[in-house]
Amino acid sequence: MGDQTRPETQKKTIPPYVKAISGSIGGIMEATCLQPIDVIKTRLQLDRSGTYKGILHCGSTVAQTEGVRALWKGLTPFATHLTLKYALRMGTNAVLQSAFKDGDTGLISHQARLVSGFGAGVLEALVVVTPFEVVKIRLQQQRGLSPELLKYKGPIHCAGMIIREEGILGLWAGASPTVMRNGTNQAAMFTAKNTFDNILWKKHEGDGKVLVPWQSMISGFLAGTVGPICTGPFDVVKTRLMAQSKSGGDLKYTGMVHAIKTIYAEEGLRALWKGLLPRLMRIPPGQAIMWGVADQVIGLYEKKYMDAA
């Protein structure tokens, strides 16, 4: 079934590079604001002994025992990764949607929008997300702040040690669940964002209407809630696979399916959704921040260049 957007509102096309730039700027803002939630999520997902009693307890424990700065561990790779990820995601999605658009009406079907989002998620997972998250998670799981006591001294040192000890493919540990998680997430997110913009604000892409930031943030927040619930197991498995080091001896998990079976057998079904609440505390607000910025950048382009044309 085709999109309900009117043909006349689709005649203007926003170049993929504009969407890529808008996403990268939004990614920087998101990373800076929400890094502590990501650290807490990672610690909860790696906690097999019940050290942390919940989100607040985990955050306060990290701050008290390791210092407040520990809540921003891994910020450099996280910010860089989000900047590149959103640029690639937004640009790829725009290119794929352009390829699927009907040449006469300029419309794109809901199925094509889902496929475009999934394709963008798969590409970002393989090119950007997996290696950056491996480094980020290795840094986040370390306890303490004293450099002499830490195995990994920083992002570059961490990446170098992983390559030396585990080979270049060590940076792509957990690639399979990451591909599944990101592909599903982006298929849902782009489709939901477009739907909420239409339903809530009567906004159609290319119509020249610029949402005010709070409108974009509401649409982005709602669009960002679906993916984490659907992809919880993939995210837990991804984190476990990325955290384990081949240099430490035999690997506990040999792959995505084995990890899911092992976690379910040893820790129960609920363990496959560990860290869901902090994900919901991070991803929807993150999408709200990103879209609040990205829509303004895209809107500025529409007003300055497309209206003039």
Side-chain angles (χ1 to χ4, degrees):
M1 183 172 62
D3 197 305
Q4 298 302 309
T5 307
R6 298 185 305 273
E8 63 268 20
T9 65
Q10 292 291 328
K11 291 180 180 178
K12 299 177 179 179
T13 301
I14 301 167
Y17 77 87
V18 173
K19 292 191 175 183
I21 292 172
S22 71
S24 64
I25 296 173
I28 293 173
M29 292 298 296
E30 176 185 341
T32 304
C33 295
L34 301 179
Q35 176 67 1
I37 299 297
D38 195 69
V39 171
I40 291 171
K41 182 211 76 169
T42 298
R43 291 292 183 89
L44 287 173
Q45 290 182 337
L46 295 174
D47 180 23
R48 298 193 189 110
S49 60
T51 302
Y52 305 119
K53 309 306 179 185
I55 295 172
L56 294 178
H57 180 257
C58 179
S60 62
T61 300
V62 171
Q64 291 171 8
T65 60
E66 305 173 45
V68 175
R69 285 191 301 138
L71 290 171
W72 273 267
K73 276 186 176 181
L75 177 60
T76 300
F78 187 48
T80 305
H81 138 246
L82 279 188
T83 301
L84 296 175
K85 178 178 74 173
Y86 283 141
L88 183 62
R89 174 191 298 176
M90 300 282 280
T92 302
N93 185 70
V95 169
L96 291 174
Q97 285 196 5
S98 296
F100 285 126
K101 278 183 179 179
D102 184 279
D104 296 326
T105 65
L107 297 178
I108 179 171
S109 69
H110 292 302
Q111 294 90 334
R113 198 178 295 278
L114 284 167
V115 172
S116 298
F118 189 85
V122 169
L123 187 60
E124 74 177 18
L126 292 175
V127 176
V128 177
V129 177
T130 303
F132 275 94
E133 288 214 359
V134 168
V135 172
K136 181 197 72 172
I137 286 171
R138 295 289 179 90
L139 290 172
Q140 287 180 346
Q141 71 176 340
Q142 298 185 123
R143 301 178 186 276
L145 287 173
S146 301
E148 63 274 9
L149 300 178
L150 301 178
K151 178 178 180 179
Y152 305 118
K153 313 304 181 185
I156 296 176
H157 179 258
C158 179
M161 284 200 68
I162 291 172
I163 293 173
R164 286 195 300 272
E165 295 179 351
E166 306 170 39
I168 187 67
L169 292 181
L171 289 172
W172 273 266
S176 295
T178 307
V179 164
M180 292 301 300
R181 182 198 67 172
N182 281 59
T184 304
N185 265 338
Q186 299 343 309
M189 189 272 293
F190 280 110
T191 303
K193 175 62 165 59
N194 178 74
T195 300
F196 285 123
D197 280 350
N198 289 346
I199 293 174
L200 297 176
W201 323 118
K202 307 302 180 185
K203 162 66 180 173
H204 305 284
E205 183 177 324
D207 63 2
K209 179 180 179 180
V210 181
L211 299 179
V212 296
W214 67 265
Q215 291 175 320
S216 297
M217 293 180 76
I218 289 175
S219 294
F221 184 94
L222 294 173
T225 59
V226 181
I229 297 173
C230 298
T231 61
F234 293 128
D235 193 62
V236 171
V237 169
K238 169 201 71 74
T239 301
R240 296 283 181 95
L241 290 174
M242 288 179 174
Q244 62 182 7
S245 171
K246 291 182 180 179
S247 62
D250 294 336
L251 300 180
K252 181 177 180 63
Y253 309 114
T254 58
M256 180 175 68
V257 176
H258 178 257
I260 291 175
K261 290 180 178 179
T262 302
I263 294 170
Y264 173 73
E266 295 182 352
E267 304 172 51
L269 182 63
R270 291 179 60 187
L272 290 170
W273 274 268
K274 273 189 173 181
L276 176 60
L277 188 53
R279 282 190 81 203
L280 289 174
M281 291 177 64
R282 186 185 70 78
I283 293 177
Q287 290 302 299
I289 294 170
M290 193 280 291
W291 282 110
V293 175
D295 279 353
Q296 292 303 303
V297 175
I298 293 172
L300 179 64
Y301 177 88
E302 286 183 318
K303 279 187 171 181
K304 187 171 182 179
Y305 294 101
M306 296 176 73
D307 287 353

